[in-house]
Amino acid sequence: MAKQSSYLPRLTRTWWLKHRYFKLYMAREATVLPLVFFIGCLLAGLYSLLQGTESWAGWLAFMAHPLVILLNCLALAASLFHAWTFFELFPRVMPLRVGTRTIPASFIVLGQWVGVVAVIALFAWILGSGS
Amino acid sequence: MSTKKLSIQRYLPEQEATPYWQEFEVPFDDSTSLLDALNYVKEELDGTLSYRWSCRMAICGSCGVMVNGIPKLGCKSFLRDYPDTLKISALSHFPVEKDLIVDMEVFLDHLAAVQPYLITNAAETDEPNRQTPAQLEKYKQFSDCINCGLCYSACPQFGLNQEFLGPAALTLAHRYNLDSRDQGKQQRMPQLNRHEGVWSCTFVGFCSQVCPKNVDPAAAVNQGKVESAKDMLISLFKG
Ligand code: SF4
Ligand code: FES
């Protein structure tokens, strides 16, 4: 522990403003905020669907509001940014091996993006064939 | 020979209760390291300056300081890379004893807590303990740590809570857990499983950026989370 003669400056609340690196980290953590809004929208939609036609129409109107669209676009951008950081970190947390060889990190990152594109394509196909 | 300004944070508790900044002008060329510059200050300008060093080749891990707010090894940083004044202070998150000298006791305690040595069930023999290159490869990167503590100065979680075992100690634990000659994992897991073990890490990742030996402690800590989760699940089933 700190002795009498030593000093130990405490971390201030604004520690993360000191470097670009910490700001980027905080941005990654902050992506959760617009996502919470998006999930709130989804839950409200489910609820209004149960309430009947009128409230469903109300929810649709709410979703079409420019501000709501803007916030949801922000949520999309935030989740893509978060996915990017997550995909970059993943191979470091779970290095995959085949036999005695470690799969290069860039391969794993690419694989994850291929997965994202596949899921988007699948949904586009489902939604497209539904209408 | 051109010169460069160093602004050094001085702390001399017998003379002044609070730290203060002092400027020095030192000659430098392309090969002048920050450690060379500090040696110049001590020998030519102010003999009262205190700092640590030994190997001057990035092996002993004793010359860590903050340069413009980023943890660096003095012997591995070069004045040529800094266009302006270099602001030098003692490593962050450790109690400062004098000038650039910090008290590393917490760090050493955390290292010791993870039992960083081979633990084997087998009786002592004179037989060599064989290991294949592939088995070595699994932990090799994590064994390059020189215990410089830069990663602790880079870690805001350690800055907020000194009880957090921190990057290097958790990396060392993981390094021994991955070693094919070691059987001590079960003894180390309780330390990793604690809140102050791997779970205090939020993957800021700055520790890996500042590590002078490319150990990638953030990767080791987060691999430790996977191990810890497995360990807790298994013990849950065992009851
Ligand atoms: S992990 Fe890197 S930064 Fe941390 S103590 Fe070891 S060598 Fe230094
Ligand atoms: S003097 Fe040994 S690491 Fe710098």
Side-chain angles (χ1 to χ4, degrees):
Chain A
M1 265 291 83
K3 299 187 186 74
Q4 274 300 297
S5 61
S6 64
Y7 90 100
L8 177 62
R10 290 269 126 225
L11 269 199
T12 55
R13 272 162 190 273
T14 52
W15 62 265
W16 55 277
L17 289 170
K18 266 194 256 164
H19 312 301
R20 198 187 67 89
Y21 200 88
F22 287 156
K23 284 185 207 152
L24 215 61
Y25 160 72
M26 278 311 213
R28 186 187 89 197
E29 300 296 290
T31 52
V32 70
L33 298 173
L35 279 178
V36 165
F37 175 76
F38 171 68
I39 289 170
C41 286
L42 275 190
L43 289 176
L46 264 179
Y47 180 74
S48 59
L49 194 62
L50 291 172
Q51 294 301 301
T53 340
E54 210 169 295
S55 77
W56 175 247
W59 183 74
L60 284 182
F62 170 74
M63 289 305 282
H65 191 281
L67 192 67
V68 177
I69 292 180
L70 186 78
L71 279 173
N72 278 321
C73 284
L74 193 68
L76 178 66
S79 57
L80 282 175
F81 172 67
H82 195 106
W84 173 70
T85 59
F86 184 91
F87 291 175
E88 293 289 320
L89 296 179
F90 182 82
R92 285 164 65 196
V93 181
M94 288 255 197
L96 300 177
R97 270 173 231 279
V98 175
T100 57
R101 290 257 198 101
T102 310
I103 301 178
S106 52
F107 257 63
I108 302 179
V109 174
L110 191 72
Q112 295 175 104
W113 282 116
V114 168
V116 170
V117 172
V119 169
I120 291 175
L122 183 72
F123 269 87
W125 180 69
I126 293 174
L127 293 177
S129 62
S131 62
Chain B
M1 206 185 242
S2 41
T3 63
K4 191 146 288 192
K5 274 211 181 78
L6 298 187
S7 181
I8 303 180
Q9 189 168 46
R10 304 293 309 269
Y11 176 60
L12 300 159
E14 310 86 50
Q15 287 154 37
E16 208 150 341
T18 48
Y20 59 94
W21 293 90
Q22 190 177 358
E23 293 221 337
F24 298 99
E25 193 141 349
V26 295
F28 84 104
D29 61 23
D30 263 1
S31 68
T32 309
S33 70
L34 172 56
L35 180 60
D36 294 333
L38 291 176
N39 287 339
Y40 180 87
V41 170
K42 187 162 179 85
E43 277 156 26
E44 308 291 334
L45 305 175
D46 187 340
T48 65
L49 180 69
S50 305
Y51 54 97
R52 283 198 188 104
W53 67 282
S54 175
C55 71
R56 45 121 190 92
M57 51 197 282
I59 284 180
C60 72
S62 49
C63 64
V65 290
M66 303 300 276
V67 183
N68 299 342
I70 310 255
K72 293 273 182 193
L73 288 183
C75 65
K76 208 172 179 258
S77 308
F78 293 88
L79 264 51
R80 58 167 191 257
D81 295 326
Y82 296 87
D84 305 317
T85 304
L86 287 85
K87 290 192 81 171
I88 316 294
S89 54
L91 281 182
S92 293
H93 308 158
F94 293 108
V96 183
E97 292 297 321
K98 191 179 182 192
D99 293 342
L100 303 177
I101 295 186
V102 293
D103 178 359
M104 291 218 138
E105 203 174 316
V106 213
F107 174 52
L108 298 176
D109 285 348
H110 288 347
L111 286 178
V114 301
Q115 300 176 272
Y117 34 79
L118 288 180
I119 301 174
T120 55
N121 302 330
E124 284 279 322
T125 65
D126 291 335
E127 288 295 303
N129 215 342
R130 288 179 201 281
Q131 195 164 50
T132 65
Q135 287 169 329
L136 170 69
E137 206 48 49
K138 279 201 175 148
Y139 68 82
K140 190 164 173 295
Q141 182 182 23
F142 301 140
S143 68
D144 286 339
C145 174
I146 56 171
N147 303 340
C148 62
L150 298 196
C151 48
Y152 284 70
S153 294
C155 177
Q157 296 299 354
F158 178 71
L160 292 167
N161 176 16
Q162 306 267 307
E163 295 301 309
F164 173 38
L165 285 179
L170 291 166
T171 301
L172 214 50
H174 193 55
R175 172 249 175 278
Y176 281 98
N177 286 345
L178 287 175
D179 195 315
S180 60
R181 300 163 298 180
D182 179 84
Q183 281 126 26
K185 191 172 174 185
Q186 279 323 307
Q187 294 178 43
R188 292 187 198 101
M189 284 322 282
Q191 288 288 343
L192 268 67
N193 295 345
R194 288 191 303 139
H195 175 68
E196 286 79 18
V198 289
W199 301 106
S200 277
C201 168
T202 53
F203 216 149
V204 178
F206 198 44
C207 54
S208 292
Q209 295 282 316
V210 305
C211 175
K213 304 303 271 188
N214 290 322
V215 173
D216 202 352
V221 174
N222 286 279
Q223 288 174 25
K225 283 183 194 163
V226 178
E227 292 306 317
S228 174
K230 276 195 224 160
D231 187 65
M232 292 197 274
L233 262 181
I234 290 170
S235 60
L236 205 67
F237 282 120
K238 278 190 185 158

